[in-house]
Amino acid sequence: EAIRATVPDTKAVQAAAAAARGLGDATRLSIAAALAAGDELCVCDIAWVVGMSQGLVSHHLRQLKNAALVSSRRQGKLVMYQLTDRGRQLTSAVLGGATTCAARDTDRV
């Protein structure tokens, strides 16, 4: 009974699973890493940073937004994206020190 009482309810588990699926793809994880480093970016900037087409990036941003890992706001004709607090925490947890290592390697070049 003690163990059973500690298991989250179905709704909480489903939300956590959706968030995990959101970062369970290499493309989405790359986009999340770019947003973690750049704070707020438009699709064209994200596409350039990760080296993918804007259409593909838009598709994955929609999935990240559906998983509540990314939020967006309109700025004129552009839509600006940023990680939510949960998205930032999960991206950091999944990548660990990988983003800081990449940044240090870039500084040496």
Side-chain angles (χ1 to χ4, degrees):
E1 282 300 314
I3 295 170
R4 185 180 176 116
T6 64
V7 176
D9 67 7
T10 303
K11 192 172 185 176
V13 170
Q14 288 174 341
R21 277 191 304 275
L23 291 180
D25 177 87
T27 299
R28 289 191 293 275
L29 191 54
S30 294
I31 291 168
L35 287 170
D39 191 40
E40 186 178 52
L41 300 168
C42 66
V43 172
C44 55
D45 289 340
I46 297 168
W48 183 81
V49 168
V50 298
M52 297 174 193
S53 73
Q54 288 185 26
L56 182 63
V57 168
S58 291
H59 168 75
H60 285 287
L61 281 167
R62 231 179 347 269
Q63 291 180 321
L64 288 167
K65 194 170 178 181
N66 289 340
L69 300 176
V70 167
S71 63
S72 64
R73 69 175 181 84
R74 187 163 288 284
Q75 181 178 327
K77 292 183 179 184
L78 296 176
V79 178
M80 304 300 290
Y81 293 89
Q82 68 181 40
L83 290 173
T84 61
D85 288 339
R86 185 175 193 184
R88 190 169 298 286
Q89 291 169 353
L90 287 174
T91 300
S92 177
V94 170
L95 289 175
T99 55
T100 56
C101 292
R104 274 185 271 144
D105 290 345
T106 305
D107 290 342
R108 288 187 208 145
V109 174

